Structures are given as structure tokens and as C-alpha cells.
Amino acid sequence: MVTGIATMSEPIEFPPGKMFGVRFSNAVTSVFLDTNEQIMETVQVNKDSEVSNPVKHRVLFMDSAHQKHMEIPISILGLEDLEELHLEKNHIEVIPKEICQFHNIKVLYLNNNNIVHISEELGELKNLQSLDLSSNPLNSNSLDVISKVHQLRELRLYDINLEDFPVELCKRLLHLQLLGLSNNKLKSLPPEVSNLIHLKEIYLQNNALKLFPTQICALKALEVVDLEKNKLSSLPVEIGSLPNLVKLFINFNKLSTIPKTLCQCKKLAVLDLSGNCLHKLPHGISELKRLKELGLSNNELKKLPTRICHLHSLCVLYLKNTGLSSLPFAFAKLESLKILDLSQNSFTSFPPEICGLAQLQVLSMDDNLMSMITPDVRSLKKLSYLGITGNRFTAFPEEILQLESLEKLYIGQDLGVRLSSLPDNIFMLKNLKELYIENNNLEFLPSTLNLLHNLEVLDCHNNNLKQLPDAICHLHGLQKLLLQNNQLPSLPDNLDMLDKLDLLLLDDNPMVDPPAAVCSLGRSAVWEYLREKRRKHALTTKIQALWRGVMVRKGLGPYAYLLQLGKKGKKPKKDKKGKSKGKKGDSKGKKK
């Protein structure tokens, strides 16, 4: 049974505050299969049987990750035809000698365990092509065993405290195509790395490299180079000799310049230079005609060079915290642009050049100095995400109500001027799914909110809300409602009609109905309280209706009904002989 297939075509989510942290993952994208307990038991029962066990010849994939195994189960070792085995995130300490029984194994993942030593038998897995030993307390002296696996194509050794990469691996793993060495303590690579002529991907993120390892510039097959979070102060001119380079991550280093030879890498599609000390870009950057993603955030550009506007294939552009206050007029020529981050800059008004980007889908203008938005923003027909938190709007910018395709709106004002109200016509954003209006001064929400039929997330925390409109009970698609730190004393009686709501936060409100003690127990307790309250109210109403019916049948009017209620429960007066006294005017009260 297939449980999951990771693909790069899946939509990317941009959480608040971290919307542009997108990276191409180093994670494995294999097909995983559930561990079938029945198969495991069958293998265990028949492991010593002379009768041929068909299970052994049927299981090719096995996912036994995150199962708290202390060792590799013997039952798995009996699966002779196994080709892919996942044992990551367990507590395995030893690779047993029986590992050599996996004659057909091609993919083996043992990452995130407690393995210290690699057994010699691992070197007998002649068909092994992909091995992951990341996040283990490995003894680096035992890594040489891996050099015996000559057919290895992918080797992942992330986060194993590696200080020196074994030369023996460089000499013998000549078919290696992917080498993962991120999150280690490498200060350099051995010159013998140049032997890995088939290497296509090398990941060296978060190491201690001060100099760019120029020996990798001799690897003509390289397509991905990741050197994020090192201590590089420059790039060598030899980097231009990588004709097949497609992705280069060189962000969060100490680069002050970029060699113009980088522009000779004509196949470059992803270039991340964020978090450096760049003041300018090489003039030839416009020659990178295939460039689709460009990261320049957290540099000191202050002015965007016009030559970037000639990158007509550019789909993603990150310009967060670059000191910009305006865009070049030719910016509208980036006709393929879909994602644009201009947050944490100095824009005082919405850049009109953006309005010409017909394909734009995601725009972050958070933490700028804007006080208004141009009406021309309506031309962004495909915009589905808009972030304008932390600006200087004195009132809700109603120009954005023309963005009918908008699905996510962030207008929390933690750093900007706080808003006191939302417009009644907010329902014009008919496709809105997520609305974040936290950190404002809202006292009430518009009753028209119920017309946002697609709303799934409503974040109103840290406002001054005193009451919720009953209309909120009709947002039947709502899944998350964040109301903490407001002035709410009560909730609408029918709030539990929101049957899809799975998150309700009410902390730091003066709650009375339901009581704060009930609210602290979570959504289920609140729902139970509201239902019980309605049940009691319905019962009281029914009793009163029945009593009124009795009075009507007796021919008593409303005043008599009230009088009867007042007399209800009083006993009739009696005389000295114990007989009830008659009313004035009846036969018993007349004198003889």
C-alpha cells in the first residue's frame, strides 16, 4: 500500500513571517510502503521452514521507519529479494553481520539512529546504490568500509560531526552522483574529490568552509552545488567552468562581490545569493537567460540594477531587506514573475511597476512604510497571496477588495499603524481562505463576514474585540479561529455550528459565557457547554409554553395568567371549624 510520494510539483505553503524560505529539499523522494505486520509474522514463522516461502520473493520495498526498533528485526533480514529498506528514526545501535543477506538491496536508509560503527559486511552489498547514514554518532574511522560499495550512486552523511572527508571514498566511489555532507565541521575537501567525475549534486550546507573548494570546479557534470551557511568571502573565477550547473546555493556567507565568470553558467536556473554583503551584481547577469529563481534578500543593494529586468524567464525573486525604496521602470518586463518578496524595505507607496506583472501570484510587501495602495492593483488578476503587515495604513486599504482571486491576506499590524475596523464590503474577496488581522485595534467584526464562504482561517488575536457577530456561525468552512488576547466576555450561542473548526484559541479574554475555566479546556469543552446551554434554554421555554397553554384552556387572559402565577402555591383560608371560607357573595357567606 503506497503511503506517500514526495514531488516537487506539490504547492508550496508560505507560513506567516517565513513565506520566502523556499529551498530545494535534499530529502529523498522515494515511494514508501507500510510495514505489513502480517507479512512480518509470516516471515518469522516460516524462516526455518524447508517449504519455500513465497513472501520472501514478493516484498521489494519495506518502510519500518519510526518504529522504535533497537535493532534491525530478524524478520526483515529474511526478505531476500528486498530492494529498498527504510529504517530511519529508530534506536538502532549496530548494523548486524547478517546485513550481507540483502543481495539485491539498492536503497538503504539508516539515518537518525544511534549507530557508532559500520560493520565490514556492509561493504558486501554490491548492488547498493543509495545509502543514508545521516544523524548517527558515527566513528569516522569506520567510513572507509563504504568505499567497497563500488556501485553507490547516492551517499548521505549529514550531521555526523565529520571533520575530514575520507580520501578513500574519493578514490573508489567513482560512480557517485550525489554526495550529502551538510551540517558537519568540514573546513576543506581533499583534492581527490576531483575523481568523482560523475557527481551531479554536492551538499555542503552549514560547514566551516572559508575558501570555496576549487577542486569541485573540475567536476563538469555538477548540476547542484549547495554551500549555504559557510564562511566564504569570495567565489573563484573557475566557477564559470561548470557548464551544467543548474542550482547554486551560496546564501548566508560573507561575499562582497560575484565574479563575472559565474554568468558563463548558461544553464543556471536557481541562484541564491541571500544573506551576503553584496552592493552590486555582475553586469553579465542578464545573460543568464534560463534563470527562474533569484535570491538577493538581506544584501545592501539599495538600488535594483535595471539589467535584472532582462531576465524574462524569472519566476521567483526574493528582495527582502535590501534597502529598496523604488523599482526601475523596466521592472514590469519581468512578465513571467509569479513570486515577489519586497518585505522589510523602505517603500512609502505601492510600487506602480508591480501592477504590470500579470502572472504574479504571491506578493509580500510586509514591514514597509506604505500608507496607501494604488487602484491599479486590480490589474493583478492572478494574485492569490498578499502580505501587507507592518505598514502605515490609517484605514483598511479598500483598493485590495478588487483582488477577487485573493486567497490569503496578511494585514496584521505588529510593527505598523493599527486599524480600528474592517469594511463591510470585505465580502468582495469572495475567494478568501485565510485572513490574518492580528495586532490591530478592532472592537467589532462586520456582520457581512459570513459572506466569505471559502474562509478557513481567521486570525484576530491581540485586538480589542468585545463581541463576535452571530454571522460568524455561518462560516461553515472555518477550520481555525484565533481570538486570544481580546475583550470577549461571551461567544455566540451557535458557534458550535462550525463543525469543521479544529482550532479555537480564547486565552486572555474576560470570558464569562462560557466561563474561562471551560474555555481553557479547549474546543470540545466549549462546544459541550454551548449545547447544554441550548438544551436548558429549550427545556425552560417548553415548560413556559405548556403553562401558558393551560391558562388559555381555562379561559384566563394574560393578566389573569400573571395573577395565577402570583397565587400559585398559596393554600385556601379556613374558618375555626376547619372549613374553607367561601368568597364574598356566595351562598355560604349570606346572613340568615
Side-chain angles (χ1 to χ4, degrees):
M1 181 178 66
V2 178
T3 60
I5 304 176
T7 64
M8 292 306 298
S9 60
E10 294 175 355
I12 298 171
E13 290 294 327
F14 302 99
K18 297 195 184 236
M19 62 171 285
F20 292 103
V22 181
R23 288 185 45 78
F24 282 81
S25 173
N26 300 341
V28 181
T29 57
S30 302
V31 178
F32 296 130
L33 300 182
D34 277 337
T35 301
N36 189 315
E37 294 182 2
Q38 186 175 1
I39 290 178
M40 298 285 288
E41 292 174 2
T42 304
V43 175
Q44 184 69 28
V45 170
N46 295 298
K47 62 178 182 176
D48 297 322
S49 174
E50 296 179 0
V51 181
S52 176
N53 184 1
V55 174
K56 293 184 180 181
H57 305 287
R58 190 170 65 221
V59 180
L60 302 178
F61 301 85
M62 180 64 70
D63 181 12
S64 196
H66 218 297
Q67 299 296 316
K68 299 181 180 180
H69 291 310
M70 301 301 295
E71 57 185 17
I72 300 178
I74 296 176
S75 51
I76 293 180
L77 293 170
L79 300 174
E80 296 176 355
D81 282 351
L82 202 61
E83 293 184 359
E84 182 165 345
L85 174 59
H86 293 265
L87 286 164
E88 61 266 32
K89 298 181 180 179
N90 282 291
H91 305 293
I92 298 170
E93 297 182 358
V94 176
I95 300 177
K97 295 180 179 180
E98 291 81 1
I99 196 79
C100 61
Q101 293 179 20
F102 291 141
H103 303 295
N104 297 300
I105 196 77
K106 294 180 181 178
V107 179
L108 178 60
Y109 295 106
L110 291 164
N111 48 300
N112 294 90
N113 279 284
N114 298 319
I115 301 170
V116 176
H117 184 76
I118 304 175
S119 63
E120 291 290 333
E121 287 73 17
L122 184 71
E124 298 179 25
L125 302 180
K126 301 304 181 183
N127 291 309
L128 189 62
Q129 297 183 12
S130 183
L131 175 63
D132 193 343
L133 291 167
S134 304
S135 300
N136 279 289
L138 287 172
N139 184 337
S140 58
N141 294 329
S142 67
L143 291 177
D144 284 349
V145 173
I146 301 173
S147 66
K148 298 179 182 179
V149 189
H150 300 304
Q151 297 303 315
L152 205 60
R153 301 293 197 275
E154 299 181 357
L155 176 60
R156 293 175 174 86
L157 297 172
Y158 304 119
D159 189 24
I160 60 169
N161 275 326
L162 191 63
E163 295 184 359
D164 296 293
F165 186 65
V167 174
E168 197 64 25
L169 301 187
C170 300
K171 292 180 178 179
R172 304 183 68 176
L173 297 182
L174 302 181
H175 297 285
L176 208 59
Q177 297 181 8
L178 182 150
L179 178 57
L181 298 171
S182 296
N183 300 314
N184 281 295
K185 299 178 180 179
L186 297 172
K187 295 181 179 179
S188 62
L189 293 180
E192 289 80 3
V193 166
S194 58
N195 293 335
L196 306 177
I197 59 174
H198 296 291
L199 199 64
K200 292 183 177 181
E201 303 177 40
I202 185 166
Y203 297 95
L204 293 161
Q205 176 187 355
N206 196 20
N207 274 283
L209 296 167
K210 292 184 178 181
L211 295 175
F212 188 98
T214 53
Q215 52 270 51
I216 70 175
C217 295
L219 305 177
K220 306 299 182 182
L222 266 181
E223 297 178 3
V224 180
V225 175
D226 184 353
L227 283 157
E228 178 186 352
K229 294 181 181 178
N230 277 279
K231 301 177 182 180
L232 305 179
S233 57
S234 63
L235 295 181
V237 294
E238 290 88 348
I239 197 168
S241 61
L242 296 174
N244 293 299
L245 190 62
V246 176
K247 302 171 190 175
L248 175 61
F249 300 101
I250 203 82
N251 45 319
F252 296 103
N253 279 278
K254 299 179 180 181
L255 304 177
S256 57
T257 59
I258 301 297
K260 61 182 180 180
T261 52
L262 179 63
C263 303
Q264 297 174 11
C265 302
K266 303 298 183 181
K267 293 185 179 181
L268 202 60
V270 179
L271 175 59
D272 195 349
L273 298 168
S274 302
N276 280 286
C277 306
L278 300 174
H279 295 279
K280 60 182 181 178
L281 299 175
H283 288 282
I285 195 169
S286 58
E287 299 174 12
L288 299 175
K289 302 298 183 183
R290 298 189 185 183
L291 200 61
K292 292 186 176 181
E293 295 189 29
L294 177 59
L296 295 170
S297 297
N298 298 301
N299 280 290
E300 301 174 13
L301 298 177
K302 295 186 178 180
K303 186 177 181 181
L304 191 66
T306 304
R307 49 188 173 273
I308 284 184
C309 303
H310 298 294
L311 299 174
H312 300 301
S313 296
L314 204 61
C315 297
V316 181
L317 179 57
Y318 308 142
L319 290 166
K320 175 182 178 180
N321 188 27
T322 48
L324 298 178
S325 58
S326 63
L327 296 176
F329 180 76
F331 195 80
K333 292 183 179 180
L334 295 175
E335 53 192 26
S336 299
L337 205 60
K338 295 181 179 180
I339 298 177
L340 175 62
D341 184 1
L342 288 170
S343 58
Q344 297 183 22
N345 280 292
S346 302
F347 292 96
T348 56
S349 60
F350 193 87
E353 296 82 7
I354 294 179
C355 299
L357 304 175
Q359 302 301 317
L360 198 63
Q361 299 176 17
V362 177
L363 173 63
S364 176
M365 293 290 298
D366 301 305
D367 303 327
N368 275 279
L369 307 173
M370 295 189 300
S371 58
M372 59 175 293
I373 291 182
T374 173
D376 293 337
V377 72
R378 63 178 177 270
S379 63
L380 300 177
K381 301 294 185 182
K382 295 186 178 182
L383 196 67
S384 61
Y385 178 115
L386 177 61
I388 49 175
T389 66
N391 278 280
R392 296 185 177 181
F393 303 112
T394 56
F396 187 93
E398 297 196 25
E399 292 81 4
I400 66 176
L401 298 178
Q402 304 295 324
L403 299 171
E404 293 186 0
S405 60
L406 205 62
E407 295 182 3
K408 297 183 182 182
L409 174 59
Y410 294 80
I411 193 167
Q413 294 300 98
D414 51 325
L415 298 177
V417 177
R418 299 194 170 196
L419 306 178
S420 58
S421 64
L422 292 179
D424 288 335
N425 56 345
I426 195 170
F427 65 85
M428 293 174 63
L429 298 175
K430 59 184 180 181
N431 289 307
L432 199 63
K433 292 182 178 180
E434 299 182 18
L435 176 58
Y436 298 87
I437 50 174
E438 76 283 2
N439 298 307
N440 280 290
N441 286 327
L442 305 179
E443 294 187 5
F444 300 97
L445 296 175
S447 58
T448 54
L449 205 64
N450 68 311
L451 298 177
L452 295 174
H453 301 300
N454 295 304
L455 200 63
E456 297 175 357
V457 178
L458 178 58
D459 185 352
C460 303
H461 82 269
N462 198 21
N463 275 278
N464 291 316
L465 293 175
K466 299 177 179 178
Q467 183 180 358
L468 294 180
D470 290 335
I472 202 171
C473 302
H474 299 288
L475 293 172
H476 296 297
L478 202 62
Q479 299 173 16
K480 293 178 173 57
L481 180 58
L482 283 64
L483 298 167
Q484 63 269 41
N485 198 18
N486 277 282
Q487 300 299 319
L488 294 171
S490 62
L491 297 176
D493 289 343
N494 296 315
L495 191 66
D496 60 309
M497 290 174 59
L498 303 177
D499 51 3
K500 291 185 178 180
L501 197 73
D502 58 15
L503 179 63
L504 174 64
L505 298 181
L506 293 165
D507 302 338
D508 299 317
N509 278 282
M511 294 300 300
V512 177
D513 184 23
V518 173
C519 296
S520 66
L521 298 176
R523 182 194 64 84
S524 298
V526 173
W527 266 210
E528 182 61 30
Y529 175 90
L530 294 176
R531 289 165 185 156
E532 181 65 15
K533 178 182 175 183
R534 281 201 309 274
R535 188 188 69 79
K536 290 180 179 179
H537 178 73
L539 183 60
T540 302
T541 303
K542 183 177 180 180
I543 292 173
Q544 291 177 351
L546 288 171
W547 182 248
R548 284 195 296 270
V550 170
M551 293 298 101
V552 170
R553 285 196 297 274
K554 289 184 176 182
L556 297 175
Y559 293 107
Y561 167 64
L562 293 175
L563 183 61
Q564 188 70 18
L565 286 177
K567 290 182 176 181
K568 185 180 178 183
K570 291 185 178 180
K571 296 181 179 180
K573 294 181 180 179
K574 298 181 179 180
D575 58 14
K576 294 180 179 179
K577 295 181 178 180
K579 296 181 179 180
S580 297
K581 290 184 177 181
K583 294 181 181 179
K584 187 178 180 180
D586 62 15
S587 59
K588 292 182 180 179
K590 291 182 180 180
K591 293 181 179 180
K592 293 183 179 179

